[in-house]
Amino acid sequence: NMKLGGLGPDYETIKEKVKKLKLQKEYSRQIKEYNMRNITVLQRLPAKAQVSSVSRQKALEYAKKIPRPKTFITKQPEQEALPQAPTGTSLPPLPSLESLWNRHRKEKEAVAAFKALHIL
Protein backbone atom coordinates (compact mmCIF):
# COMPACT_ATOMS: atom_id res chain seq x y z
CA ASN A 1 0.00 0.00 0.00
CA MET A 2 2.55 2.54 -1.07
CA LYS A 3 1.33 5.75 -2.62
CA LEU A 4 3.76 7.06 -5.23
CA GLY A 5 3.90 10.66 -6.35
CA GLY A 6 1.58 11.64 -9.14
CA LEU A 7 1.41 14.34 -11.76
CA GLY A 8 -1.43 16.26 -10.15
CA PRO A 9 -1.43 18.57 -7.12
CA ASP A 10 -1.18 17.11 -3.64
CA TYR A 11 -4.32 18.45 -1.95
CA GLU A 12 -3.44 17.09 1.47
CA THR A 13 -0.21 19.08 1.82
CA ILE A 14 -1.93 22.19 0.44
CA LYS A 15 -4.68 21.86 3.07
CA GLU A 16 -2.07 21.50 5.82
CA LYS A 17 -0.22 24.63 4.65
CA VAL A 18 -3.44 26.65 4.44
CA LYS A 19 -4.45 25.49 7.93
CA LYS A 20 -1.02 26.46 9.29
CA LEU A 21 -1.23 29.92 7.69
CA LYS A 22 -4.71 30.49 9.15
CA LEU A 23 -3.44 29.56 12.61
CA GLN A 24 -0.49 31.97 12.25
CA LYS A 25 -2.77 34.82 11.19
CA GLU A 26 -5.17 34.15 14.05
CA TYR A 27 -2.31 34.06 16.55
CA SER A 28 -0.88 37.34 15.24
CA ARG A 29 -4.33 38.96 15.44
CA GLN A 30 -4.73 37.84 19.05
CA ILE A 31 -1.28 39.16 20.00
CA LYS A 32 -2.04 42.47 18.34
CA GLU A 33 -5.32 42.83 20.25
CA TYR A 34 -3.62 41.91 23.54
CA ASN A 35 -0.88 44.47 22.96
CA MET A 36 -3.38 47.18 22.04
CA ARG A 37 -5.31 46.58 25.29
CA ASN A 38 -2.34 46.27 27.64
CA ILE A 39 0.17 48.77 26.34
CA THR A 40 -0.04 51.96 28.31
CA VAL A 41 0.18 55.22 26.52
CA LEU A 42 3.80 56.23 26.45
CA GLN A 43 4.56 59.61 27.83
CA ARG A 44 5.61 61.96 25.14
CA LEU A 45 9.13 63.20 25.18
CA PRO A 46 9.47 66.78 26.35
CA ALA A 47 9.73 69.31 23.58
CA LYS A 48 13.19 70.50 22.65
CA ALA A 49 14.40 73.33 24.76
CA GLN A 50 14.18 76.45 22.70
CA VAL A 51 17.38 78.33 22.19
CA SER A 52 17.22 81.59 24.00
CA SER A 53 17.35 84.73 21.93
CA VAL A 54 20.35 85.96 23.91
CA SER A 55 22.56 83.12 22.72
CA ARG A 56 21.33 83.67 19.15
CA GLN A 57 22.24 87.35 19.33
CA LYS A 58 25.70 86.46 20.61
CA ALA A 59 26.17 84.02 17.75
CA LEU A 60 25.10 86.62 15.17
CA GLU A 61 27.49 89.21 16.61
CA TYR A 62 30.34 86.70 16.52
CA ALA A 63 29.55 85.87 12.90
CA LYS A 64 29.71 89.58 11.98
CA LYS A 65 33.18 89.93 13.51
CA ILE A 66 34.78 87.01 11.67
CA PRO A 67 36.86 88.27 8.72
CA ARG A 68 35.64 86.94 5.40
CA PRO A 69 38.07 85.13 3.10
CA LYS A 70 39.32 87.11 0.14
CA THR A 71 37.95 86.01 -3.19
CA PHE A 72 40.07 86.06 -6.32
CA ILE A 73 38.59 87.96 -9.22
CA THR A 74 39.04 86.07 -12.46
CA LYS A 75 39.11 87.78 -15.81
CA GLN A 76 36.13 86.95 -17.93
CA PRO A 77 37.00 86.28 -21.55
CA GLU A 78 35.59 88.82 -23.94
CA GLN A 79 34.79 86.37 -26.68
CA GLU A 80 34.65 82.62 -26.13
CA ALA A 81 33.36 81.62 -29.56
CA LEU A 82 36.59 81.95 -31.56
CA PRO A 83 40.10 81.94 -30.13
CA GLN A 84 42.05 85.06 -31.02
CA ALA A 85 45.52 84.83 -32.43
CA PRO A 86 48.21 87.18 -31.16
CA THR A 87 48.72 90.20 -33.33
CA GLY A 88 51.19 89.77 -36.18
CA THR A 89 50.50 86.04 -36.70
CA SER A 90 47.89 84.77 -39.09
CA LEU A 91 45.87 81.61 -38.75
CA PRO A 92 45.06 79.48 -41.76
CA PRO A 93 41.55 80.13 -43.07
CA LEU A 94 38.85 77.85 -41.76
CA PRO A 95 37.42 75.46 -44.35
CA SER A 96 33.86 76.11 -45.42
CA LEU A 97 31.04 73.89 -44.28
CA GLU A 98 30.40 72.68 -47.82
CA SER A 99 33.98 71.47 -48.26
CA LEU A 100 33.79 69.66 -44.92
CA TRP A 101 30.57 67.91 -46.00
CA ASN A 102 32.20 66.83 -49.28
CA ARG A 103 35.20 65.44 -47.39
CA HIS A 104 32.84 63.59 -45.03
CA ARG A 105 30.96 61.98 -47.95
CA LYS A 106 34.20 60.86 -49.61
CA GLU A 107 35.53 59.31 -46.41
CA LYS A 108 32.17 57.62 -45.84
CA GLU A 109 32.34 56.09 -49.33
CA ALA A 110 35.89 54.88 -48.65
CA VAL A 111 34.81 53.17 -45.42
CA ALA A 112 31.88 51.55 -47.24
CA ALA A 113 34.28 50.22 -49.89
CA PHE A 114 36.54 48.72 -47.22
CA LYS A 115 33.53 47.10 -45.55
CA ALA A 116 32.44 45.65 -48.88
CA LEU A 117 35.89 44.08 -49.27
CA HIS A 118 35.65 42.78 -45.67
CA ILE A 119 38.84 44.59 -44.72
CA LEU A 120 37.24 46.31 -41.71
Side-chain angles (χ1 to χ4, degrees):
N1 285 342
M2 292 183 77
K3 183 177 179 183
L4 300 176
L7 295 176
D10 188 7
Y11 291 112
E12 292 176 14
T13 57
I14 293 174
K15 287 179 184 178
E16 291 173 7
K17 288 181 183 180
V18 169
K19 184 178 178 182
K20 187 177 180 181
L21 283 174
K22 285 182 182 179
L23 289 173
Q24 286 177 348
K25 287 182 181 180
E26 178 64 24
Y27 179 74
S28 66
R29 186 187 59 77
Q30 288 175 0
I31 295 295
K32 184 178 178 182
E33 287 177 5
Y34 176 80
N35 288 338
M36 293 300 283
R37 277 186 268 129
N38 293 334
I39 292 179
T40 58
V41 178
L42 295 175
Q43 294 178 353
R44 296 185 181 227
L45 295 174
K48 291 183 180 178
Q50 295 182 354
V51 179
S52 65
S53 61
V54 175
S55 61
R56 177 167 171 73
Q57 291 300 326
K58 287 181 182 178
L60 290 173
E61 288 175 19
Y62 176 75
K64 289 178 184 177
K65 293 177 184 176
I66 295 176
R68 301 283 181 237
K70 295 180 181 178
T71 57
F72 296 104
I73 299 173
T74 58
K75 294 181 182 178
Q76 294 182 358
E78 296 173 3
Q79 198 177 27
E80 294 182 14
L82 294 173
Q84 296 292 325
T87 55
T89 61
S90 63
L91 292 174
L94 296 174
S96 68
L97 184 61
E98 187 176 320
S99 65
L100 291 174
W101 274 109
N102 289 334
R103 179 179 163 195
H104 175 69
R105 277 191 232 118
K106 288 178 185 176
E107 289 176 356
K108 207 171 176 183
E109 290 171 1
V111 170
F114 283 127
K115 283 186 179 178
L117 297 174
H118 301 290
I119 294 175
L120 289 178

mmCIF file of all heavy atoms in Angstrom, residues 1-34:
data_model
loop_
_atom_site.group_PDB
_atom_site.id
_atom_site.type_symbol
_atom_site.label_atom_id
_atom_site.label_comp_id
_atom_site.label_asym_id
_atom_site.label_seq_id
_atom_site.Cartn_x
_atom_site.Cartn_y
_atom_site.Cartn_z
ATOM 1 N N ASN A 1 0.826 -1.187 0.000
ATOM 2 C CA ASN A 1 0.000 0.000 0.000
ATOM 3 C C ASN A 1 0.869 1.249 0.000
ATOM 4 O O ASN A 1 0.778 2.082 0.881
ATOM 5 C CB ASN A 1 -0.924 0.008 1.213
ATOM 6 C CG ASN A 1 -2.062 -0.976 1.050
ATOM 7 O OD1 ASN A 1 -2.354 -1.406 -0.061
ATOM 8 N ND2 ASN A 1 -2.704 -1.326 2.153
ATOM 9 N N MET A 2 1.716 1.346 -0.937
ATOM 10 C CA MET A 2 2.552 2.536 -1.068
ATOM 11 C C MET A 2 1.917 3.476 -2.076
ATOM 12 O O MET A 2 1.484 3.048 -3.143
ATOM 13 C CB MET A 2 3.965 2.179 -1.545
ATOM 14 C CG MET A 2 4.782 1.412 -0.535
ATOM 15 S SD MET A 2 6.416 1.124 -1.128
ATOM 16 C CE MET A 2 7.130 2.711 -0.860
ATOM 17 N N LYS A 3 1.881 4.761 -1.696
ATOM 18 C CA LYS A 3 1.329 5.749 -2.622
ATOM 19 C C LYS A 3 2.505 6.511 -3.229
ATOM 20 O O LYS A 3 3.237 7.207 -2.531
ATOM 21 C CB LYS A 3 0.387 6.705 -1.910
ATOM 22 C CG LYS A 3 -0.249 7.702 -2.852
ATOM 23 C CD LYS A 3 -1.227 8.596 -2.129
ATOM 24 C CE LYS A 3 -1.811 9.581 -3.116
ATOM 25 N NZ LYS A 3 -2.705 10.527 -2.463
ATOM 26 N N LEU A 4 2.682 6.374 -4.534
ATOM 27 C CA LEU A 4 3.764 7.059 -5.229
ATOM 28 C C LEU A 4 3.300 8.442 -5.667
ATOM 29 O O LEU A 4 2.097 8.698 -5.775
ATOM 30 C CB LEU A 4 4.230 6.236 -6.429
ATOM 31 C CG LEU A 4 4.754 4.839 -6.098
ATOM 32 C CD1 LEU A 4 5.080 4.086 -7.367
ATOM 33 C CD2 LEU A 4 5.985 4.941 -5.216
ATOM 34 N N GLY A 5 4.235 9.300 -5.919
ATOM 35 C CA GLY A 5 3.901 10.659 -6.348
ATOM 36 C C GLY A 5 3.211 10.657 -7.694
ATOM 37 O O GLY A 5 3.482 9.840 -8.566
ATOM 38 N N GLY A 6 2.303 11.568 -7.887
ATOM 39 C CA GLY A 6 1.578 11.644 -9.139
ATOM 40 C C GLY A 6 1.882 12.939 -9.865
ATOM 41 O O GLY A 6 2.699 13.751 -9.425
ATOM 42 N N LEU A 7 1.201 13.136 -10.962
ATOM 43 C CA LEU A 7 1.410 14.335 -11.756
ATOM 44 C C LEU A 7 0.553 15.506 -11.287
ATOM 45 O O LEU A 7 0.851 16.647 -11.559
ATOM 46 C CB LEU A 7 1.122 14.053 -13.225
ATOM 47 C CG LEU A 7 2.056 13.056 -13.898
ATOM 48 C CD1 LEU A 7 1.612 12.797 -15.322
ATOM 49 C CD2 LEU A 7 3.477 13.571 -13.890
ATOM 50 N N GLY A 8 -0.512 15.220 -10.579
ATOM 51 C CA GLY A 8 -1.426 16.256 -10.154
ATOM 52 C C GLY A 8 -1.006 16.895 -8.841
ATOM 53 O O GLY A 8 -0.031 16.493 -8.207
ATOM 54 N N PRO A 9 -1.759 17.901 -8.384
ATOM 55 C CA PRO A 9 -1.430 18.570 -7.119
ATOM 56 C C PRO A 9 -1.743 17.674 -5.924
ATOM 57 O O PRO A 9 -2.640 16.841 -5.963
ATOM 58 C CB PRO A 9 -2.328 19.808 -7.131
ATOM 59 C CG PRO A 9 -3.462 19.437 -8.010
ATOM 60 C CD PRO A 9 -2.909 18.510 -9.046
ATOM 61 N N ASP A 10 -0.982 17.870 -4.865
ATOM 62 C CA ASP A 10 -1.180 17.110 -3.637
ATOM 63 C C ASP A 10 -2.056 17.951 -2.708
ATOM 64 O O ASP A 10 -1.578 18.859 -2.041
ATOM 65 C CB ASP A 10 0.180 16.817 -2.992
ATOM 66 C CG ASP A 10 0.049 15.879 -1.818
ATOM 67 O OD1 ASP A 10 -1.061 15.358 -1.594
ATOM 68 O OD2 ASP A 10 1.061 15.680 -1.120
ATOM 69 N N TYR A 11 -3.352 17.638 -2.682
ATOM 70 C CA TYR A 11 -4.315 18.447 -1.947
ATOM 71 C C TYR A 11 -4.125 18.353 -0.441
ATOM 72 O O TYR A 11 -4.408 19.292 0.285
ATOM 73 C CB TYR A 11 -5.744 18.050 -2.314
ATOM 74 C CG TYR A 11 -6.103 18.430 -3.737
ATOM 75 C CD1 TYR A 11 -6.322 17.456 -4.700
ATOM 76 C CD2 TYR A 11 -6.208 19.756 -4.111
ATOM 77 C CE1 TYR A 11 -6.635 17.793 -5.994
ATOM 78 C CE2 TYR A 11 -6.528 20.105 -5.405
ATOM 79 C CZ TYR A 11 -6.739 19.122 -6.348
ATOM 80 O OH TYR A 11 -7.046 19.471 -7.624
ATOM 81 N N GLU A 12 -3.616 17.244 0.035
ATOM 82 C CA GLU A 12 -3.441 17.085 1.472
ATOM 83 C C GLU A 12 -2.387 18.052 2.015
ATOM 84 O O GLU A 12 -2.600 18.697 3.040
ATOM 85 C CB GLU A 12 -3.045 15.643 1.792
ATOM 86 C CG GLU A 12 -4.159 14.646 1.529
ATOM 87 C CD GLU A 12 -3.722 13.210 1.771
ATOM 88 O OE1 GLU A 12 -2.654 13.011 2.380
ATOM 89 O OE2 GLU A 12 -4.451 12.316 1.361
ATOM 90 N N THR A 13 -1.252 18.164 1.337
ATOM 91 C CA THR A 13 -0.208 19.082 1.821
ATOM 92 C C THR A 13 -0.654 20.526 1.672
ATOM 93 O O THR A 13 -0.321 21.376 2.509
ATOM 94 C CB THR A 13 1.121 18.868 1.061
ATOM 95 O OG1 THR A 13 0.900 19.031 -0.338
ATOM 96 C CG2 THR A 13 1.692 17.500 1.339
ATOM 97 N N ILE A 14 -1.434 20.817 0.631
ATOM 98 C CA ILE A 14 -1.928 22.185 0.442
ATOM 99 C C ILE A 14 -2.876 22.544 1.585
ATOM 100 O O ILE A 14 -2.812 23.647 2.133
ATOM 101 C CB ILE A 14 -2.613 22.335 -0.938
ATOM 102 C CG1 ILE A 14 -1.574 22.201 -2.048
ATOM 103 C CG2 ILE A 14 -3.350 23.661 -1.042
ATOM 104 C CD1 ILE A 14 -2.155 22.182 -3.448
ATOM 105 N N LYS A 15 -3.745 21.609 1.971
ATOM 106 C CA LYS A 15 -4.679 21.858 3.071
ATOM 107 C C LYS A 15 -3.929 22.098 4.370
ATOM 108 O O LYS A 15 -4.292 22.971 5.164
ATOM 109 C CB LYS A 15 -5.646 20.688 3.226
ATOM 110 C CG LYS A 15 -6.688 20.603 2.143
ATOM 111 C CD LYS A 15 -7.593 19.391 2.348
ATOM 112 C CE LYS A 15 -8.578 19.254 1.195
ATOM 113 N NZ LYS A 15 -9.432 18.060 1.345
ATOM 114 N N GLU A 16 -2.869 21.327 4.598
ATOM 115 C CA GLU A 16 -2.072 21.500 5.815
ATOM 116 C C GLU A 16 -1.417 22.881 5.849
ATOM 117 O O GLU A 16 -1.405 23.544 6.895
ATOM 118 C CB GLU A 16 -1.002 20.410 5.909
ATOM 119 C CG GLU A 16 -1.563 19.033 6.176
ATOM 120 C CD GLU A 16 -0.486 17.953 6.105
ATOM 121 O OE1 GLU A 16 0.707 18.291 5.988
ATOM 122 O OE2 GLU A 16 -0.851 16.765 6.163
ATOM 123 N N LYS A 17 -0.872 23.310 4.723
ATOM 124 C CA LYS A 17 -0.220 24.626 4.651
ATOM 125 C C LYS A 17 -1.222 25.748 4.875
ATOM 126 O O LYS A 17 -0.939 26.719 5.580
ATOM 127 C CB LYS A 17 0.490 24.804 3.309
ATOM 128 C CG LYS A 17 1.739 23.966 3.153
ATOM 129 C CD LYS A 17 2.401 24.210 1.815
ATOM 130 C CE LYS A 17 3.625 23.313 1.643
ATOM 131 N NZ LYS A 17 4.273 23.531 0.351
ATOM 132 N N VAL A 18 -2.401 25.628 4.269
ATOM 133 C CA VAL A 18 -3.435 26.648 4.435
ATOM 134 C C VAL A 18 -3.883 26.709 5.893
ATOM 135 O O VAL A 18 -4.047 27.803 6.463
ATOM 136 C CB VAL A 18 -4.636 26.364 3.497
ATOM 137 C CG1 VAL A 18 -5.821 27.243 3.839
ATOM 138 C CG2 VAL A 18 -4.219 26.565 2.050
ATOM 139 N N LYS A 19 -4.040 25.530 6.521
ATOM 140 C CA LYS A 19 -4.446 25.487 7.928
ATOM 141 C C LYS A 19 -3.388 26.147 8.810
ATOM 142 O O LYS A 19 -3.704 26.930 9.715
ATOM 143 C CB LYS A 19 -4.664 24.041 8.356
ATOM 144 C CG LYS A 19 -5.179 23.876 9.751
ATOM 145 C CD LYS A 19 -5.404 22.407 10.068
ATOM 146 C CE LYS A 19 -5.872 22.246 11.504
ATOM 147 N NZ LYS A 19 -6.047 20.831 11.857
ATOM 148 N N LYS A 20 -2.117 25.877 8.525
ATOM 149 C CA LYS A 20 -1.020 26.460 9.294
ATOM 150 C C LYS A 20 -1.002 27.984 9.143
ATOM 151 O O LYS A 20 -0.818 28.727 10.119
ATOM 152 C CB LYS A 20 0.305 25.863 8.829
ATOM 153 C CG LYS A 20 1.491 26.270 9.649
ATOM 154 C CD LYS A 20 2.754 25.564 9.163
ATOM 155 C CE LYS A 20 3.937 25.979 9.986
ATOM 156 N NZ LYS A 20 5.191 25.344 9.543
ATOM 157 N N LEU A 21 -1.195 28.476 7.921
ATOM 158 C CA LEU A 21 -1.228 29.923 7.685
ATOM 159 C C LEU A 21 -2.386 30.585 8.420
ATOM 160 O O LEU A 21 -2.238 31.669 8.990
ATOM 161 C CB LEU A 21 -1.325 30.226 6.194
ATOM 162 C CG LEU A 21 -0.046 30.070 5.373
ATOM 163 C CD1 LEU A 21 -0.332 30.252 3.895
ATOM 164 C CD2 LEU A 21 0.997 31.061 5.834
ATOM 165 N N LYS A 22 -3.547 29.931 8.432
ATOM 166 C CA LYS A 22 -4.707 30.490 9.150
ATOM 167 C C LYS A 22 -4.429 30.570 10.640
ATOM 168 O O LYS A 22 -4.766 31.560 11.298
ATOM 169 C CB LYS A 22 -5.952 29.650 8.894
ATOM 170 C CG LYS A 22 -6.553 29.855 7.526
ATOM 171 C CD LYS A 22 -7.810 29.025 7.353
ATOM 172 C CE LYS A 22 -8.383 29.203 5.956
ATOM 173 N NZ LYS A 22 -9.583 28.381 5.753
ATOM 174 N N LEU A 23 -3.778 29.542 11.193
ATOM 175 C CA LEU A 23 -3.441 29.564 12.611
ATOM 176 C C LEU A 23 -2.444 30.682 12.928
ATOM 177 O O LEU A 23 -2.565 31.362 13.954
ATOM 178 C CB LEU A 23 -2.871 28.205 13.046
ATOM 179 C CG LEU A 23 -3.871 27.049 13.114
ATOM 180 C CD1 LEU A 23 -3.151 25.737 13.396
ATOM 181 C CD2 LEU A 23 -4.918 27.318 14.179
ATOM 182 N N GLN A 24 -1.474 30.902 12.043
ATOM 183 C CA GLN A 24 -0.493 31.969 12.247
ATOM 184 C C GLN A 24 -1.167 33.336 12.234
ATOM 185 O O GLN A 24 -0.884 34.199 13.074
ATOM 186 C CB GLN A 24 0.594 31.918 11.164
ATOM 187 C CG GLN A 24 1.581 30.792 11.335
ATOM 188 C CD GLN A 24 2.585 30.742 10.200
ATOM 189 O OE1 GLN A 24 2.426 31.397 9.176
ATOM 190 N NE2 GLN A 24 3.620 29.928 10.388
ATOM 191 N N LYS A 25 -2.067 33.536 11.279
ATOM 192 C CA LYS A 25 -2.768 34.819 11.194
ATOM 193 C C LYS A 25 -3.651 35.049 12.424
ATOM 194 O O LYS A 25 -3.715 36.162 12.945
ATOM 195 C CB LYS A 25 -3.603 34.892 9.919
ATOM 196 C CG LYS A 25 -2.769 35.061 8.670
ATOM 197 C CD LYS A 25 -3.633 35.176 7.433
ATOM 198 C CE LYS A 25 -2.765 35.312 6.194
ATOM 199 N NZ LYS A 25 -3.573 35.417 4.974
ATOM 200 N N GLU A 26 -4.319 34.019 12.868
ATOM 201 C CA GLU A 26 -5.171 34.147 14.051
ATOM 202 C C GLU A 26 -4.333 34.475 15.282
ATOM 203 O O GLU A 26 -4.694 35.338 16.079
ATOM 204 C CB GLU A 26 -5.953 32.838 14.272
ATOM 205 C CG GLU A 26 -6.827 32.839 15.487
ATOM 206 C CD GLU A 26 -7.952 33.863 15.421
ATOM 207 O OE1 GLU A 26 -8.357 34.257 14.311
ATOM 208 O OE2 GLU A 26 -8.414 34.279 16.498
ATOM 209 N N TYR A 27 -3.195 33.804 15.427
ATOM 210 C CA TYR A 27 -2.310 34.063 16.552
ATOM 211 C C TYR A 27 -1.798 35.503 16.516
ATOM 212 O O TYR A 27 -1.790 36.207 17.525
ATOM 213 C CB TYR A 27 -1.139 33.079 16.524
ATOM 214 C CG TYR A 27 -0.147 33.296 17.637
ATOM 215 C CD1 TYR A 27 -0.444 32.933 18.939
ATOM 216 C CD2 TYR A 27 1.090 33.879 17.375
ATOM 217 C CE1 TYR A 27 0.461 33.136 19.965
ATOM 218 C CE2 TYR A 27 2.005 34.085 18.397
ATOM 219 C CZ TYR A 27 1.689 33.716 19.686
ATOM 220 O OH TYR A 27 2.586 33.928 20.698
ATOM 221 N N SER A 28 -1.379 35.967 15.345
ATOM 222 C CA SER A 28 -0.877 37.339 15.239
ATOM 223 C C SER A 28 -1.974 38.354 15.538
ATOM 224 O O SER A 28 -1.729 39.386 16.164
ATOM 225 C CB SER A 28 -0.274 37.592 13.862
ATOM 226 O OG SER A 28 -1.269 37.541 12.876
ATOM 227 N N ARG A 29 -3.218 38.066 15.143
ATOM 228 C CA ARG A 29 -4.334 38.962 15.441
ATOM 229 C C ARG A 29 -4.575 39.031 16.949
ATOM 230 O O ARG A 29 -4.798 40.104 17.511
ATOM 231 C CB ARG A 29 -5.596 38.497 14.713
ATOM 232 C CG ARG A 29 -6.776 39.460 14.856
ATOM 233 C CD ARG A 29 -8.050 38.881 14.271
ATOM 234 N NE ARG A 29 -8.450 37.621 14.893
ATOM 235 C CZ ARG A 29 -9.046 37.519 16.093
ATOM 236 N NH1 ARG A 29 -9.291 38.600 16.806
ATOM 237 N NH2 ARG A 29 -9.388 36.349 16.582
ATOM 238 N N GLN A 30 -4.519 37.883 17.604
ATOM 239 C CA GLN A 30 -4.734 37.842 19.055
ATOM 240 C C GLN A 30 -3.636 38.611 19.798
ATOM 241 O O GLN A 30 -3.923 39.363 20.733
ATOM 242 C CB GLN A 30 -4.769 36.400 19.544
ATOM 243 C CG GLN A 30 -6.011 35.643 19.145
ATOM 244 C CD GLN A 30 -5.947 34.180 19.556
ATOM 245 O OE1 GLN A 30 -4.966 33.735 20.136
ATOM 246 N NE2 GLN A 30 -7.004 33.437 19.232
ATOM 247 N N ILE A 31 -2.394 38.449 19.371
ATOM 248 C CA ILE A 31 -1.278 39.159 20.001
ATOM 249 C C ILE A 31 -1.437 40.661 19.800
ATOM 250 O O ILE A 31 -1.222 41.457 20.730
ATOM 251 C CB ILE A 31 0.076 38.673 19.434
ATOM 252 C CG1 ILE A 31 0.321 37.216 19.787
ATOM 253 C CG2 ILE A 31 1.228 39.551 19.905
ATOM 254 C CD1 ILE A 31 0.482 36.963 21.266
ATOM 255 N N LYS A 32 -1.853 41.048 18.620
ATOM 256 C CA LYS A 32 -2.043 42.471 18.336
ATOM 257 C C LYS A 32 -3.128 43.063 19.242
ATOM 258 O O LYS A 32 -2.961 44.142 19.808
ATOM 259 C CB LYS A 32 -2.401 42.663 16.863
ATOM 260 C CG LYS A 32 -2.516 44.093 16.440
ATOM 261 C CD LYS A 32 -2.818 44.194 14.955
ATOM 262 C CE LYS A 32 -2.984 45.620 14.534
ATOM 263 N NZ LYS A 32 -3.333 45.735 13.113
ATOM 264 N N GLU A 33 -4.246 42.353 19.375
ATOM 265 C CA GLU A 33 -5.322 42.833 20.252
ATOM 266 C C GLU A 33 -4.850 42.924 21.706
ATOM 267 O O GLU A 33 -5.142 43.894 22.400
ATOM 268 C CB GLU A 33 -6.534 41.903 20.151
ATOM 269 C CG GLU A 33 -7.300 42.019 18.859
ATOM 270 C CD GLU A 33 -8.447 41.017 18.778
ATOM 271 O OE1 GLU A 33 -8.705 40.292 19.772
ATOM 272 O OE2 GLU A 33 -9.082 40.959 17.719
ATOM 273 N N TYR A 34 -4.129 41.912 22.167
ATOM 274 C CA TYR A 34 -3.621 41.906 23.538
ATOM 275 C C TYR A 34 -2.700 43.099 23.773
ATOM 276 O O TYR A 34 -2.804 43.783 24.788
ATOM 277 C CB TYR A 34 -2.874 40.590 23.794
ATOM 278 C CG TYR A 34 -2.221 40.520 25.151
ATOM 279 C CD1 TYR A 34 -2.959 40.219 26.277
ATOM 280 C CD2 TYR A 34 -0.851 40.762 25.293
ATOM 281 C CE1 TYR A 34 -2.367 40.150 27.524
ATOM 282 C CE2 TYR A 34 -0.252 40.712 26.530
ATOM 283 C CZ TYR A 34 -1.009 40.404 27.641
ATOM 284 O OH TYR A 34 -0.418 40.355 28.875
#
